[in-house]
Amino acid sequence: MVETVSVDVFKRAESVEFLSKRVPSGLTEADADALAEELGDLPLALEQAGALLAETGMPVAEYLRLLGDEVAAIMSEGKAPDYPLPMTASWKLSVSTLAKQQPEAVMLLRCCAFFGPEPIPRDLLPRGAQALDSPLGKLLANPISLARAIRELGRFALIKIDNRAIVIHRLIQALLREDLSAEEQTSYRQQAHLVLAMGAPKDPDDIQMWPRYAELVAHASGPSTRLEESEDRDVRQFALDIVRYLYNSGDQDSARGIVERFIKQWSSNTDPRDGQLLLARQHLGNVLRSLGQYPAAFAVDEEILDLAREALGSQDELTLVQTNSFGADLRAKGDFAQALRVDTESLELHKEVLGDAHPQTLRVSNNLAVDYALNSRYPDSRDLHQQTYQLRQVSEDIPAPDLLSSWNGLARALRLCGNYAEACDVGQEAYEFGVAQLGADHPRTLEAGIDLAIALRRLTGATGEGLEQIDTIYEQSRARFGVSAPLTLAATVSLTNMRRTSAESGEALTLLQETAGYYRDIYGPDHPYYHGCRGNIALLHRVN
């Protein structure tokens, strides 16, 4: 047996430097970086690409196009002088030799070709085996056979084991896919979908499962996986769980990109009243609202609510959830009175159908408490937030973001009632819980941080502490979500209010004037939030 030595890929800077020297003219740093990205920094692939470009003068854009359309053909060209075989021939020789010694290993390798190029959690494979009634399923279910197959793939340098994950190079994946017939590609892709769906966790609201979901996002969203093409109900549920995880964890941009792709494909072959398609669109509405795309969210949610009532009935859980989402849209529009009416009726219906302590009922209860505050019913808001928080605190099924929402809502209501010391005490606990459980830059944590800073400002003698708090929240929100995100706007208003009585009031005025433009663009010129921002500008003018 020949001993193998593992040679890692280049670092990106090494790849760019190598290509720049290999192709001395006509290759910009951006071109070199794009090539390195597509070739996965693999030294042999970089050498072959460099040789072909140097010898033929082929434009980089043309090479990248061929790499996407005809990977095997293009990787056969430009043989490196220091290697006995070009990459395609070398790869085929390894696979052919392994197929004779252990065909099960090649079967596993082909399945891995339809995942993303990111590490594949090894424990995903045996968990997903239950979904497969095939030779591959038997292999994945047998720990001894699976270990042997993985060992052989590693020995032939076709995969690498990295911290209990399988890593397969993207070029190897592409060559494997291209070497299969259309029927074989469909079969292996479907099996990869089922392994993902059955091997994944089942509750995207459980923060303990978020690290496992994070490992699967790239596989669910990658172009080679093509998860959106599956019509299997379990696979589609997995897709929806990925979107829900991204929404819960605060990655709204990724959630939007993925769910829009799913909706586009599913709409082409699915009844518009199908529950999973409605749920996907419901997720889109939530994401759009979180991104501050309020008119778009309202339009999506209004249509879904009508479809859900027609197809599923007013007491179906999806319809109930959608009613809650519509109430959030009304708040975002500034129609606080109508949101209060909708949520009041919705809470009674939730209690009738799901019970008083159901997590979804408590979401509506929390939102109704928010409505009370927006309609200046501060004691009602405080009492309902406290009741909701107490029910959520003793429940094992309440997601951490929901618990924090009630906790911080109670702190906010206490402040609005004039109980500043209590608001600071409760708000500090809520904020620390958010940092510990969700992270300092999670949207719910940032909301709690903003409210805590306001309470500190209102509490006599705590202005300095409040300014330090809001400075931190403002920078974190701006860094993660940008200057015009709703959370950043709220943090900016709080920051400028804090600076109104300091030597920085001039800078605060300039910053708030810029912020007012964002408020107008997002909420519209007649929204209460925009008028509130303009009122704060007037106060700053008075002290400047």
Side-chain angles (χ1 to χ4, degrees):
M1 181 179 294
V2 178
E3 182 179 356
T4 60
V5 178
S6 177
V7 180
D8 207 348
V9 298
F10 281 163
K11 295 179 180 177
R12 179 55 51 85
E14 294 173 327
S15 298
V16 171
E17 181 182 5
F18 175 83
L19 286 170
S20 298
K21 292 179 179 179
R22 190 67 179 82
V23 190
S25 61
L27 188 69
T28 67
E29 184 172 338
D31 287 338
D33 186 75
L35 273 173
E37 173 68 24
E38 290 302 314
L39 296 171
D41 300 293
L42 189 66
L44 176 55
L46 293 169
E47 167 59 25
Q48 283 187 223
L52 184 63
L53 294 174
E55 293 166 6
T56 66
M58 178 185 291
V60 170
E62 177 68 8
Y63 186 91
L64 291 173
R65 185 190 68 78
L66 290 171
L67 194 62
D69 297 342
E70 303 176 52
V71 62
I74 194 64
M75 293 310 299
S76 298
E77 302 295 331
K79 186 176 93 63
D82 294 333
Y83 293 90
L85 294 171
M87 183 173 173
T88 300
S90 175
W91 160 78
K92 286 191 172 183
L93 179 60
S94 295
V95 173
S96 175
T97 302
L98 182 59
K100 295 175 183 177
Q101 298 180 7
Q102 194 177 4
E104 295 88 354
V106 175
M107 185 168 55
L108 173 60
L109 184 66
R110 287 170 173 163
C111 181
C112 291
F114 293 93
F115 287 77
E118 289 74 12
I120 303 168
R122 190 191 185 284
D123 58 359
L124 181 76
L125 302 176
R127 289 200 307 267
Q130 59 185 308
L132 305 182
D133 183 18
S134 66
L136 177 61
K138 294 178 181 178
L139 170 66
L140 299 183
N142 186 319
I144 297 175
S145 299
L146 179 59
R148 185 186 307 122
I150 291 173
R151 184 186 67 234
E152 288 302 299
L153 290 172
R155 190 168 69 86
F156 277 80
L158 293 167
I159 66 168
K160 182 174 69 172
I161 301 299
D162 183 15
N163 193 26
R164 297 290 294 168
I166 294 173
V167 180
I168 176 171
H169 198 277
R170 65 181 63 204
L171 284 181
I172 298 295
Q173 289 179 307
L175 290 167
L176 283 160
R177 292 193 298 268
E178 189 168 294
D179 199 48
L180 297 172
S181 67
E183 293 76 16
E184 289 173 323
Q185 287 185 24
T186 299
S187 175
Y188 277 110
R189 181 173 281 112
Q190 289 175 344
Q191 292 184 86
H193 290 169
L194 290 170
V195 169
L196 279 168
M198 299 307 295
K202 305 305 178 190
D203 185 4
D205 288 341
D206 183 355
I207 62 172
Q208 303 301 320
M209 295 293 104
W210 286 5
R212 285 177 56 191
Y213 277 110
E215 295 176 328
L216 303 179
V217 170
H219 301 295
S221 60
S224 58
T225 310
R226 287 156 54 175
L227 195 72
E228 66 274 11
E229 295 181 3
S230 178
E231 297 183 33
D232 184 274
R233 306 295 290 184
D234 290 330
V235 174
R236 287 190 171 186
Q237 185 57 54
F238 164 67
L240 293 169
D241 286 347
I242 287 290
V243 175
R244 178 70 179 174
Y245 152 71
L246 289 168
Y247 171 78
N248 283 339
S249 62
D251 190 353
Q252 312 302 347
D253 288 323
S254 296
R256 179 179 183 177
I258 293 174
V259 76
E260 285 183 334
R261 195 168 82 240
F262 291 152
I263 291 171
K264 180 179 180 181
Q265 177 63 33
W266 295 359
S267 296
S268 68
N269 55 18
T270 307
D271 188 315
R273 296 169 297 179
D274 174 78
Q276 287 186 318
L277 179 55
L278 287 173
L279 184 55
R281 297 185 65 197
Q282 185 179 90
H283 287 336
L284 176 60
N286 289 334
V287 168
L288 289 171
R289 192 184 321 107
S290 294
L291 289 169
Q293 303 291 322
Y294 298 124
F298 185 90
V300 168
D301 285 338
E302 188 174 38
E303 182 180 353
I304 298 168
L305 184 56
D306 290 340
L307 283 170
R309 285 171 173 165
E310 174 191 340
L312 306 173
S314 61
Q315 295 193 353
D316 184 87
E317 188 167 347
L318 188 148
T319 309
L320 293 173
V321 171
Q322 189 58 29
T323 305
N324 193 26
S325 294
F326 189 62
D329 292 324
L330 291 169
R331 282 193 297 279
K333 282 185 66 177
D335 194 346
F336 302 148
Q338 181 63 12
L340 176 62
R341 286 191 288 270
V342 168
D343 287 339
T344 300
E345 295 173 2
S346 178
L347 180 58
E348 292 306 312
L349 188 56
H350 274 74
K351 288 180 177 180
E352 177 186 339
V353 176
L354 301 176
D356 291 2
H358 189 280
Q360 184 54 36
T361 303
L362 295 177
R363 286 195 180 107
V364 184
S365 180
N366 182 80
N367 288 346
L368 181 58
V370 174
D371 294 330
Y372 284 148
L374 291 172
N375 284 274
S376 302
R377 293 172 56 176
Y378 302 138
D380 290 337
S381 177
R382 177 199 60 205
D383 294 345
L384 187 54
H385 269 309
Q386 183 170 349
Q387 176 186 334
T388 307
Y389 170 68
Q390 288 172 337
L391 287 171
R392 279 177 160 175
Q393 190 179 38
V394 298
S395 173
E396 296 180 354
D397 300 328
I398 300 301
D402 286 6
L403 179 59
L404 178 55
S405 184
S406 282
W407 204 336
N408 183 54
L410 175 59
R412 185 189 309 118
L414 287 167
R415 184 191 82 234
L416 293 171
C417 288
N419 301 321
Y420 302 135
E422 292 178 356
C424 289
D425 292 340
V426 175
Q428 185 69 49
E429 289 184 343
Y431 178 66
E432 290 174 355
F433 172 83
V435 171
Q437 295 295 317
L438 302 174
D441 63 350
H442 189 278
R444 291 286 181 271
T445 307
L446 292 170
E447 286 176 4
I450 293 169
D451 280 306
L452 175 59
I454 297 172
L456 288 168
R457 179 169 64 89
R458 294 295 181 89
L459 187 65
T460 303
T463 303
E465 187 179 353
L467 184 56
E468 182 180 350
Q469 168 79 11
I470 196 59
D471 269 330
T472 300
I473 298 300
Y474 171 74
E475 293 299 335
Q476 288 173 331
S477 181
R478 183 176 177 176
R480 179 164 184 186
F481 300 109
V483 295
S484 62
L487 263 175
T488 308
L489 299 184
T492 306
V493 169
S494 181
L495 175 65
T496 53
N497 280 337
M498 200 80 70
R499 289 179 174 175
R500 190 168 63 227
T501 56
S502 72
E504 301 176 83
S505 59
E507 296 176 10
L509 176 59
T510 301
L511 179 58
L512 194 56
Q513 286 172 329
E514 295 174 359
T515 301
Y518 294 131
Y519 266 107
R520 184 186 60 248
D521 293 342
I522 292 175
Y523 293 99
D526 296 324
H527 197 285
Y529 293 168
Y530 174 62
H531 292 312
C533 183
R534 296 285 295 171
N536 286 326
I537 289 176
L539 291 173
L540 278 166
H541 273 300
R542 191 171 67 182
V543 300
N544 276 288

